[in-house]
Amino acid sequence: MQPTLVAVAHGSRDPRALPAASALLDRIRELRPRLDVRLGHIELNRPLLGETLRGATGAAVLVPLLLGRGHHVKRDLPAAAARAAHLDTRVAAPLGPHPLLVEALYERLLEAGWTPGAGTAVVLAAAGSRDPDSAADTRRTAALLSERLDGAAVVPAYASAAAPTVPDAVRALTARGHHRIAVASYFTAPGRFATQCAAAAPGPAAAPLGDHPALARLVLQRYDEALARQLTPLPAPAPLKLATA
């Protein structure tokens, strides 16, 4: 029996967040119908992650619906896995950075009305974290998105805990001569931060990634990678060398 895939969302008071996460899980189930796929939240929404893990049996892989290596990925998820002593629990890597995410960001921008051309730039709006690894992951995604947009300027910006903010990034791009600026929503679901960032867009504001098909494929890829990492046999220990007199 395959381990349960537990998709771990952050949680939000925005009433659109839970339906968005549920729609993503439906896409994942369509891609792999025999896999047990469940949802757990870090906070603010039910089911909470602990509740989901208590209801699981056997083995589970926690796949964070999070986009970088911040506190939740490094601390909260391993702690939740350790508390679920009745399970063989593994924690997958966060979703970003990855080319599938970039494809989803690109298509959300097109849906919002973004078009290439002179003076075009994009602000990649993320939640923000004090963890330097998280900021590095967002910068890497911005660089990949710039490549996907044929070299258009893409500047990462944040809703909290890091600089620049989205309004600051917009002002900096405007000062550099960019007069057609869009905001790409680097969020998996609607929420306060995503709404706040979209409101600062002077041009098109893309929707969160939501149930984009590329995101569903990426969740399954992270699940498979976690299993492969755990199942790779350890190298055989080197033979002991006996001392001679």
Side-chain angles (χ1 to χ4, degrees):
M1 182 177 175
Q2 291 179 299
T4 298
L5 189 162
V6 178
V8 185
H10 184 277
S12 171
R13 293 185 178 88
D14 190 310
R16 300 169 295 170
L18 181 55
S22 298
L24 175 61
L25 265 62
D26 286 342
R27 282 202 184 272
I28 295 167
R29 295 183 184 107
E30 290 172 4
L31 291 172
R32 204 167 293 184
R34 296 183 180 181
L35 181 62
D36 183 9
V37 179
R38 306 187 187 190
L39 178 63
H41 294 90
I42 294 170
E43 60 182 2
L44 300 175
N45 288 109
R46 303 286 295 273
L48 292 171
L49 178 56
E51 296 170 335
T52 299
L53 293 179
R54 284 193 293 273
T57 58
V61 176
L62 277 56
V63 181
L65 303 182
L66 304 169
L67 303 173
R69 295 168 292 167
H71 180 84
H72 294 311
V73 170
K74 292 182 177 181
R75 301 287 185 268
D76 292 341
L77 269 62
R83 288 192 295 269
H86 66 293
L87 291 174
D88 174 10
T89 307
R90 307 156 194 199
V91 179
L95 298 181
H98 194 278
L100 284 170
L101 276 182
V102 172
E103 196 60 28
L105 288 164
Y106 172 72
E107 292 189 4
R108 290 290 190 240
L109 281 167
L110 293 182
E111 292 167 1
W114 180 88
T115 54
T120 297
V122 173
V123 175
L124 180 66
S129 170
R130 292 182 178 86
D131 190 311
D133 287 337
S134 179
D137 290 342
T138 305
R139 289 195 300 270
R140 176 58 180 157
T141 298
L144 291 171
L145 182 58
S146 176
E147 292 176 11
R148 184 66 179 86
L149 299 178
D150 296 325
V154 178
V155 174
Y158 307 94
S160 70
T165 65
V166 173
D168 286 345
V170 168
R171 283 191 288 270
L173 285 168
T174 301
R176 287 161 49 187
H178 297 284
H179 57 275
R180 299 171 59 221
I181 302 171
V183 169
S185 184
Y186 201 38
F187 298 91
T188 55
R192 177 169 62 91
F193 285 164
T195 301
Q196 170 186 319
C197 291
L209 300 170
D211 66 341
H212 193 283
L215 200 63
R217 296 198 302 272
L218 180 54
V219 170
L220 286 171
Q221 183 170 324
R222 292 304 195 213
Y223 170 87
D224 292 337
E225 289 169 352
L227 288 181
R229 188 168 62 245
Q230 293 291 334
L231 295 176
T232 301
L234 295 173
L240 292 174
K241 292 182 179 181
L242 300 177
T244 57

